[in-house]
Amino acid sequence: MSQPRELVIVGSGFAALQLVKALRKRDAQRPIRLITADSGDDYHKPDLSHVASRDQSAAGMIRSAAAAWAAEYGISVQTHCAVTAIDRVQRQLQTAQGEVAYDQLVLATGARALRPPVDGHERLLTLNSLQEYAAIEPRLRAARHVTLMGGGLIGCELAMDLASSGRAVTLVDLASTLLSSLLPATLSQPLQQQLQGLGVTLRLGQTLASVQVDGDGERVTLANGEVWSTDLVLAASGLAPNTELAAAAGLKVERGIVVDSQLRTSDPFIYALGDCAAWQGKVQPFLQPAMLGAQALAATLTGTPTTLQLPPMLLRVKTPRYPLQLAGRTTGDDLRWQIELDAGGVLAKAFNGLQQLCGFVAGGARSEAGLALLRELPR
C-alpha cells in the first residue's frame, strides 16, 4: 500500500516553524511532514549576532529539540535528511532517506552566507546558522583578534558584539561607509564612531585579496597590499537564497524562488516561504515578512486563499551602544531629509518629491521614536 500524501515542508528555520504553528492553529489533524538537512532544533537566529558578549554556547541556544517540538505540534520530522530532487509529475521528493510523496509542498530552504570569491575563500567562516556556530565555536571562543568581511547589518552587529567582549576587531568593506545599502553616509557616522570608540579598526573602501594559513590563524591581504594576522575571518557580506533544488525542478527562479501574491511558485502544488522566496521581485530576509507570510500561507493551505500583504516594517539594527531603527525608503538621491542630530542620537525623516514622509531613521537615545513614526508611513 502506498504511503498517504502529506503536506511536506522542506527546511526547519524560522519561516518553516512559524508555518507549522500557524497551520496547527487552523487544522489540528492534517498530516504534516518536515524534512531538514540539519538537526531541526529550534533556536532564536538573531542571537547569533550576540554570542560573544553573552558568552553563549551553541548548545545553550537550543530552545526546543526537533523531536520535542514535532511532538508538540503533532507532525513528522526527518532530520539530517537532504532533499536531492523534486519529481513534480509524481509529486514526490527524492531524499537521502528514500522517496516522500507530497500533496502540497512548501520550500523554506532559507539562504546561505556569501563568501567573496578570493584566493583562500574556503578559509572564510560564516555564522548564519546554529550548525555553523557549533562548528566554529571553539575557534571563536579562543580568538583574540577577528576580521570581519562586510559592513552591513550583520557585520556591524557582530563587530560591536565581538569588540564588547574584549576582542580586537578589524572590519573590511568595499563601501566607503557602514550600512551603505540602508543609510546615507551622514546617518551612519554615529555608529561608525561608536565602533571606533570600542577599538574596531575600519578598512572601508577596501577589498579582500586573499586569506592564507598563518600558523594557527590566518593572514589577510587586501587589494591595496595591506597585510595582517588574525585568528579567524568571518564573512558577513550578504546572503544568497538557496534556490538550487527549485531550479533543478524547473521552477521559476530569479533573485529567489518566484512566488505570486499567495506564495505559490510556478507549480500550483508548490509554495515557497522565507529567505528563499522572491515576492514582488524582492527577497525579504527578515523575521516579520516570514511571520506574516507563514500566517497567510497557512490560511491558503487550509482552504482560505489569502494574499500576502506587508505593512511598512521596522528594521532594528541590534548594536546596543548605538541602536538604530529604520523603516520605509531610506536611500535615494531624490529624498529630502529632515535631520535632528546631537550627541544623544539622531531622528531623521525622509520625504519624497510630493513632500510625503516615506522613510525614517532613529538612532541612539532616540531609537525608540521609530515606533511612533512607523504609524505615519503610508501603507
Side-chain angles (χ1 to χ4, degrees):
M1 179 180 294
S2 61
Q3 293 295 317
R5 293 185 181 271
E6 302 165 301
L7 170 60
V8 177
I9 303 168
V10 178
S12 61
F14 178 80
L17 268 63
Q18 289 300 310
L19 178 59
V20 168
K21 294 175 183 178
L23 284 166
R24 278 298 179 244
K25 287 181 179 179
R26 291 176 166 273
D27 187 338
Q29 302 300 323
R30 183 176 184 180
I32 299 173
R33 179 173 299 274
L34 185 144
I35 305 174
T36 178
D38 58 32
S39 66
D41 298 327
D42 180 24
Y43 70 102
H44 189 51
K45 187 175 180 179
D47 286 348
L48 289 170
S49 294
H50 305 285
V51 293
S53 64
R54 296 175 183 175
D55 194 27
Q56 194 167 26
S57 68
M61 291 183 66
I62 297 173
R63 300 190 292 194
S64 180
W69 63 255
E72 178 183 356
Y73 293 105
I75 74 167
S76 301
V77 61
Q78 291 177 232
T79 60
H80 303 291
C81 179
V83 177
T84 56
I86 303 171
D87 183 338
R88 292 168 53 194
V89 175
Q90 299 297 324
R91 275 197 281 161
Q92 64 182 18
L93 303 177
Q94 306 295 329
T95 83
Q97 298 173 11
E99 296 177 348
V100 177
Y102 64 85
D103 176 30
Q104 293 170 305
L105 174 65
V106 179
L107 299 176
T109 50
R112 63 188 178 279
L114 290 170
R115 288 182 173 90
V118 299
D119 181 24
H121 66 90
E122 70 280 357
R123 301 197 62 76
L124 298 174
L125 305 178
T126 55
L127 192 56
N128 188 49
S129 69
L130 182 64
Q131 287 69 33
E132 289 181 353
Y133 176 39
I136 70 170
E137 183 179 348
R139 286 191 64 184
L140 188 60
R141 284 185 176 277
R144 295 297 90 202
H145 183 279
V146 177
T147 297
L148 283 166
M149 306 308 303
L153 183 68
I154 301 302
C156 288
E157 291 180 354
L158 284 172
M160 182 167 287
D161 191 66
L162 289 163
S164 297
S165 70
R167 292 166 172 84
V169 177
T170 300
L171 185 151
V172 181
D173 195 275
L174 178 60
S176 58
T177 60
L178 299 174
L179 301 174
S180 60
S181 66
L182 296 174
L183 301 177
T186 301
L187 299 181
S188 68
Q189 284 301 309
L191 175 60
Q192 179 170 322
Q193 292 167 3
Q194 287 289 329
L195 287 172
Q196 290 175 315
L198 284 169
V200 176
T201 299
L202 298 177
R203 290 294 181 262
L204 302 178
Q206 302 294 336
T207 57
L208 179 66
S210 69
V211 180
Q212 298 173 308
V213 178
D214 184 18
D216 292 332
E218 316 291 343
R219 183 168 71 254
V220 174
T221 303
L222 298 186
N224 67 359
E226 185 177 1
V227 179
W228 67 85
S229 294
T230 187
D231 293 309
L232 55 88
V233 184
L234 286 174
S237 306
L239 300 172
N242 293 318
T243 61
E244 292 80 5
L245 183 64
L251 299 177
K252 187 176 181 181
V253 170
E254 291 176 357
R255 293 183 178 180
I257 304 170
V258 175
V259 296
D260 64 13
S261 62
Q262 295 179 6
L263 299 178
R264 184 181 290 105
T265 70
S266 52
D267 184 310
F269 296 100
I270 304 177
Y271 299 78
L273 177 68
D275 293 2
C276 67
W279 174 79
Q280 294 188 351
K282 297 180 180 178
V283 177
Q284 303 276 353
F286 303 108
L287 296 186
Q288 189 176 2
M291 182 179 294
L292 295 175
Q295 293 170 358
L297 182 54
T300 296
L301 293 172
T302 53
T304 306
T306 300
T307 296
L308 174 61
Q309 296 181 335
L310 295 181
M313 292 176 290
L314 193 66
L315 176 60
R316 293 181 171 90
V317 185
K318 300 179 293 298
T319 43
R321 304 291 182 95
Y322 195 85
L324 286 161
Q325 294 190 359
L326 55 143
R329 192 157 69 90
T330 53
T331 58
D333 294 338
D334 62 316
L335 296 180
R336 181 180 66 83
W337 285 93
Q338 182 184 95
I339 300 175
E340 300 174 18
L341 177 64
D342 58 29
V346 64
L347 186 60
K349 301 177 183 179
F351 296 87
N352 60 22
L354 299 175
Q355 307 307 310
Q356 298 169 324
L357 179 70
C358 62
F360 66 84
V361 179
R366 303 188 183 192
S367 63
E368 292 305 318
L371 290 171
L373 282 174
L374 186 65
R375 303 186 189 99
E376 298 181 26
L377 290 179
R379 297 184 67 86

